[in-house]
Amino acid sequence: MTTRAVVKGVGHYLPERVVPNAEFEKTLDTSDEWIRTRSGIERRHFAADDQTTSDLASLAANAALKDANLEADDIDAVVVATSTPDLTFPSVATMVQQKIGMTRGFGFDVQAVCAGFVYALTNANALILSGQANRVLVIGAETFSRIMDWTDRATCVLFGDGAGALILEAQDGTGDNADRGVLSADLNSDGRYKDMLFVDGGVSTTGDSGKLRMQGNALFRQAVEKLTSTAHTALTKVGFTDDDVDWIVPHQANIRIIQGTAKKLGVPMDRVIVTVQDHGNTSAASIPLALSTGVAEGRIKRGDLLVTEAIGGGLAWGAVVIRW
């Protein structure tokens, strides 16, 4: 028998405040049409002033626990992907432990910006395959509204806040591609592209959190190429082709990137989970938000073959193949 990290439950949380594109027209030289045309985004959610990333993460975690019919102390480890932690330390993961009432196990954060959830999922899979944990709560959570430059119309209209979570559980498989669970992963990074997407602050430089900066056109060109390549690599590792894929669940950065990647993969858009219109770019939270939405809407079903892929600052990018 082969051990597999199988999805046991999934959930998400979105802050109550919904911000439509029209709200930006009051302070910026922009319009709803301009934002929709260039990004596909229609609205996004912003956290309340008193809400932190760990708050959003904990609410998503509780939703995933309920979906899996598990209690907090059934979990062995918490892995949180975020670039917007509550504090420099301790980790968001340990704060989630406290907030959901988890009194055992361990937790840590992963920082790979928009690719964070793919990295966290790969780490969680490794924890299970190595025998270090039996059940892992994997969360992507962000409050990107806290690092926006509200005078930069090219970036501040793109991002939103939210959290998504899933629970991986060790289960026996046969070792072939019919198994449920994480089947393969591909991770990459290249620090030469740092200036395409970064935050201009930090503890050892400015002493404050800084603001997000992005070279949108250059990043777009890198994104489509690298997302297509990593998805192909992850599929090839386990002998799959594009035709075998039931759903692509991409990082929800920009509808043009999503469409461009799907076209290069040869997968029609009716097999792509798209939530960018409702959530904007929620960085590490975007893939688990899309997964949870796809399940809630009855599109993603048990046994479906999924490819998740993402790219973010670093640049860091990767893909995971999962049978749901």
Side-chain angles (χ1 to χ4, degrees):
M1 302 296 284
T2 299
T3 299
R4 296 289 195 187
V6 176
V7 177
K8 181 72 172 175
V10 64
H12 70 273
Y13 173 78
L14 290 161
E16 290 184 8
R17 182 185 173 194
V18 179
V19 181
N21 290 341
E23 190 163 322
F24 292 100
E25 297 175 357
K26 303 171 186 176
T27 57
L28 295 170
D29 180 17
T30 192
S31 68
D32 174 58
E33 181 183 8
W34 190 91
I35 297 168
R36 287 183 190 229
T37 301
R38 286 158 180 78
S39 68
I41 298 168
E42 300 174 16
R43 64 193 65 84
R44 74 286 292 145
H45 295 248
F46 285 168
D49 290 343
D50 61 349
Q51 277 187 314
T52 66
T53 296
S54 68
D55 290 331
L56 308 190
S58 300
L59 289 163
N62 282 329
L65 286 167
K66 182 178 180 181
D67 185 54
N69 196 28
L70 294 171
E71 301 295 329
D73 276 342
D74 294 324
I75 303 299
D76 301 305
V78 179
V79 183
V80 175
T82 188
S83 298
T84 52
D86 298 24
L87 303 170
T88 301
F89 64 82
S91 67
V92 172
T94 56
M95 296 180 187
V96 169
Q97 281 185 295
Q98 184 269 324
K99 289 181 179 182
I100 66 174
M102 179 178 166
T103 59
R104 57 180 297 277
F106 61 94
F108 60 92
D109 291 355
V110 172
Q111 208 278 55
V113 199
C114 299
F117 190 78
V118 169
Y119 274 61
L121 198 58
T122 303
N123 274 273
N125 180 57
L127 289 172
I128 287 174
L129 297 189
S130 68
Q132 186 68 45
N134 186 58
R135 293 191 185 100
V136 183
L137 175 59
V138 192
I139 306 169
E142 303 282 15
T143 49
F144 257 54
S145 61
R146 307 286 161 79
I147 56 170
M148 290 295 100
D149 177 352
W150 299 112
T151 68
D152 181 6
R153 72 169 189 164
T155 59
C156 72
V157 301
L158 301 178
F159 293 88
D161 303 336
L166 62 77
I167 296 169
L168 291 179
E169 179 181 78
Q171 294 184 13
D172 289 334
T174 60
D176 61 27
N177 288 344
D179 285 347
R180 294 179 61 221
V182 176
L183 300 180
S184 72
D186 178 61
L187 300 180
N188 309 269
S189 64
D190 191 334
R192 294 174 297 174
Y193 297 107
K194 174 183 76 71
D195 290 342
M196 285 187 185
L197 181 59
F198 67 100
V199 169
D200 62 2
V203 174
S204 67
T205 52
T206 64
D208 60 40
S209 60
K211 301 299 181 185
L212 183 143
R213 308 299 175 194
M214 182 174 69
Q215 299 174 12
N217 290 336
L219 184 59
F220 176 88
R221 291 190 293 270
Q222 292 291 332
V224 173
E225 173 194 341
K226 286 177 166 51
L227 290 172
T228 304
S229 176
T230 190
H232 273 144
T233 299
L235 286 166
T236 300
K237 283 183 178 181
V238 280
F240 286 123
T241 69
D242 307 335
D243 291 336
D244 296 310
V245 176
D246 293 300
W247 294 104
I248 297 176
V249 188
H251 167 49
Q252 308 287 319
N254 182 303
I255 190 61
R256 294 186 298 164
I257 293 174
I258 295 170
Q259 291 169 337
T261 303
K263 182 177 181 180
K264 291 197 74 172
L265 286 170
V267 176
M269 285 299 294
D270 62 5
R271 285 162 50 198
V272 181
I273 302 293
V274 180
T275 61
V276 69
Q277 69 280 358
D278 296 320
H279 304 157
N281 183 344
T282 55
S283 190
S286 77
I287 287 176
L289 274 169
L291 285 168
S292 184
T293 300
V295 171
E297 293 175 350
R299 290 187 286 170
I300 297 174
K301 299 179 176 65
R302 183 182 174 119
D304 283 352
L305 187 70
L306 279 57
V307 178
T308 67
E309 31 89 343
I311 187 168
L315 293 174
W317 66 99
V320 177
V321 176
I322 309 170
R323 189 171 298 283
W324 201 255

